[in-house]
Amino acid sequence: MRRRILLVGFAVVLCDALLASAPAVTAIVGARLIDGTGALPIDDSVVIVENGRIRAAGPRGRITIPRAAAIVDASGKVLMPGLVDAHCHINQPPDDMKRYWLAQLRWGVTTMRSAGNDKPETVPMFRQTRAGVFLAPRSYTAGQGFSVSGPYPGAPTFKPTTAGDARSNVQTLKAQNVDFIKIWMTIPKFPPEVNEAIVDEGRKQGLPIIAHVTDIASLHQLADQGVTDFLHNPIDQPVTPELVAYARAKKLTFAPTLANIESRWFYYEHPDILNMPMLQDALYPRGRQMLADAGRKEQTLSAPDLAQRKARMREQTYPFIKAMSDGGVRIVTGTDCGAEASQVTPFGHATHREVQMFVEAGLSALTAIRAATLDAARVITRSEDPEYGSIRAGKVADLLLLDADPTVDIHNTIRIGRVMRAGQWVPTVRPGPPDFR
Ligand SMILES: [Zn+2]
């Protein structure tokens, strides 16, 4: 017995020694570099990572590799910033949240924003992700959020009926230390004075508003009050030059959340993707069941309105994205991954799918990648120069090393070799105990 204790003690000392001798500086050498700003890629690049940050990044000839650096040979590979998803949900028991976060991180999503339905007791965990207490994407939360109808039965949202209650609910969220306030402008809506009170109290408390909007009237109602950060997009009218001009003048941003609409049929149509172990890890048990249900699959794929739903995406939503992006309005990735109301929008892959759909809508690969990295980081941080989302000197080292080039084929963003979060390589072993499946 004593010998075993001694051995364990020795192993711990050995591990400490290994950690202590881990290289302080890493040089990722030879990759094609996509920096997230929309700039043209740099071939044969060098990126130096030290203490969780990028110390230098550029063409090989211009960057000095420190002698002590651990070299990662990345020739033939592509390096891009970690993905940012501005519209997620993760209302699960705390241990499960950690597993889904890790699954999402292994898909290359290094930042996520949870847009409502988070219970007060889980709010501190979001700050822990940013402090690096456990391995997860950098995560933000809107706490419970405001929704008249749920958005699903039992959702922990606030449903104030008076302006006074609305203000007091915002103050409660402020006391819980949430990062944002979320309003669902779904039907039935709050009375205008309740919405106004939420927005005004949010401003007083220094909490930015994010809003689910699918109609023009709601968009104007909030945008005229100064709200800029929208999830989904108006679908009651086609996009017009006037709407683009209005959105640009008001500096509005949209996370159109296409992956959530499409996931209802997409994974049934792509069993190759559905069967990836990493995708199964990124779904809730009920979502896995729904997607494994042959009857449900048959019903979905033979539904008489499926062709019409696909056409609406191509003919109405894609033109909205293309017109806004071309008109200088910021479009960013948001997917509704982890939404309990839908269940079938997985963490991780959905973010890659959103990027692919931006390209299908007519954005260039580099613009779509910027939407999923630097621009999404700008929207979340309310800063034009956030400390993550791009690969430049001084920024946090949230990186995605790909085995193939997404500027050749945007589907290559899922050819993930390695993921780095704040300078730390994410372990490639599958997370969680066996019963996780
Ligand atoms: Zn949502």
Side-chain angles (χ1 to χ4, degrees):
M1 191 64 189
R2 177 173 294 173
R3 181 178 295 171
R4 184 181 288 174
I5 290 168
L6 278 175
L7 276 174
V8 169
F10 178 68
V12 168
V13 169
L14 197 65
C15 283
D16 283 350
L18 283 174
L19 281 176
S21 66
V25 186
T26 301
I28 303 167
V29 177
R32 171 172 247 219
L33 172 64
I34 298 172
D35 71 3
T37 67
L40 288 175
I42 297 169
D43 284 323
D44 197 19
S45 69
V46 172
V47 173
I48 310 288
V49 176
E50 186 177 23
N51 294 327
R53 287 191 181 259
I54 296 158
R55 185 162 114 185
R60 190 193 291 258
R62 289 208 213 137
I63 308 287
T64 310
I65 301 173
R67 263 203 293 175
I71 308 287
V72 174
D73 177 8
S75 44
K77 299 185 187 296
V78 175
L79 192 66
M80 62 173 277
L83 296 170
V84 178
D85 195 319
H87 184 184
C88 306
H89 299 275
I90 189 161
N91 174 22
Q92 298 296 305
D95 284 348
D96 292 346
M97 285 170 69
K98 289 185 182 177
R99 293 198 192 106
Y100 293 120
W101 265 327
L102 190 51
Q104 188 177 28
L105 189 58
R106 293 180 64 239
W107 273 103
V109 178
T110 51
T111 299
M112 66 91 86
R113 181 171 69 174
S114 183
N117 301 145
D118 289 315
K119 300 182 197 83
E121 57 270 27
T122 63
V123 169
M125 291 176 73
F126 288 83
R127 277 173 199 274
Q128 289 171 1
T129 66
R130 276 129 67 184
V133 174
F134 51 89
L135 196 55
R138 173 189 303 96
S139 302
Y140 300 86
T141 179
Q144 288 153 271
F146 290 84
S147 172
V148 176
S149 58
Y152 57 91
T157 48
F158 286 120
K159 301 167 176 58
T161 52
T162 66
D165 285 351
R167 287 185 189 279
S168 134
N169 293 155
V170 172
Q171 289 158 15
T172 300
L173 287 166
K174 176 69 181 179
Q176 289 167 9
N177 221 357
V178 303
D179 304 296
F180 295 88
I181 298 291
K182 163 75 178 285
I183 309 176
W184 275 267
M185 298 294 277
T186 39
I187 294 169
K189 287 189 204 173
F190 290 111
E193 67 272 17
V194 169
N195 276 323
E196 278 162 30
I198 297 168
V199 174
D200 186 59
E201 191 63 29
R203 187 175 296 122
K204 280 185 187 151
Q205 300 294 340
L207 289 171
I209 308 284
I210 55 181
H212 169 126
V213 162
T214 54
D215 67 283
I216 293 279
S218 295
L219 182 76
H220 283 292
Q221 189 189 341
L222 292 181
D224 287 345
Q225 274 194 80
V227 176
T228 59
D229 189 341
F230 293 98
L231 311 179
H232 305 279
N233 63 287
I235 53 169
D236 56 339
Q237 291 173 33
V239 65
T240 59
E242 292 72 32
L243 185 62
V244 174
Y246 173 81
R248 187 175 50 226
K250 295 272 184 196
K251 294 190 163 50
L252 307 189
T253 65
F254 294 92
T257 312
L258 312 175
N260 177 33
I261 302 169
E262 191 208 48
S263 63
R264 316 300 164 108
W265 66 81
F266 178 82
Y267 294 100
Y268 289 129
E269 289 182 338
H270 293 84
D272 50 327
I273 297 170
L274 185 58
N275 292 333
M276 292 171 75
M278 262 176 61
L279 191 100
Q280 292 290 317
D281 288 349
L283 289 160
Y284 300 148
R286 208 174 112 231
R288 287 200 291 274
Q289 267 169 22
M290 286 162 70
L291 289 172
D293 182 332
R296 207 176 177 280
K297 173 178 179 174
E298 162 65 22
Q299 201 180 15
T300 303
L301 296 185
S302 62
D305 67 340
L306 180 59
Q308 201 186 339
R309 287 154 74 199
K310 289 181 176 178
R312 206 180 302 138
M313 178 72 78
R314 275 195 316 271
E315 290 158 19
Q316 188 169 354
T317 310
Y318 281 180
F320 176 92
I321 289 163
K322 174 74 171 147
M324 288 292 175
S325 178
D326 287 355
V329 176
R330 199 160 274 164
I331 295 290
V332 303
T333 35
T335 58
D336 245 335
C337 63
E340 295 198 48
S342 70
Q343 292 282 333
V344 293
T345 311
F347 291 102
H349 184 271
T351 317
H352 293 270
R353 189 60 203 136
E354 192 82 11
V355 178
Q356 293 165 19
M357 293 174 87
F358 288 173
V359 171
E360 289 170 14
L363 273 55
S364 73
L366 287 171
T367 303
I369 289 170
R370 188 184 66 204
T373 55
L374 181 58
D375 278 354
R378 284 168 163 162
V379 167
I380 291 179
T381 60
R382 263 69 179 167
S383 163
E384 281 305 295
D385 189 25
E387 65 165 5
Y388 59 91
S390 63
I391 301 181
R392 286 191 298 184
K395 303 299 178 191
V396 172
D398 286 357
L399 306 173
L400 204 44
L401 191 57
L402 304 175
D403 292 333
D405 187 350
T407 64
V408 173
D409 177 353
I410 197 64
H411 295 83
N412 287 337
T413 62
I414 76 164
R415 301 275 303 274
I416 298 167
R418 299 177 84 176
V419 178
M420 179 181 273
R421 165 80 176 93
Q424 187 182 356
W425 292 113
V426 176
T428 49
V429 288
R430 294 183 52 167
D435 66 352
F436 177 50
R437 312 282 300 281

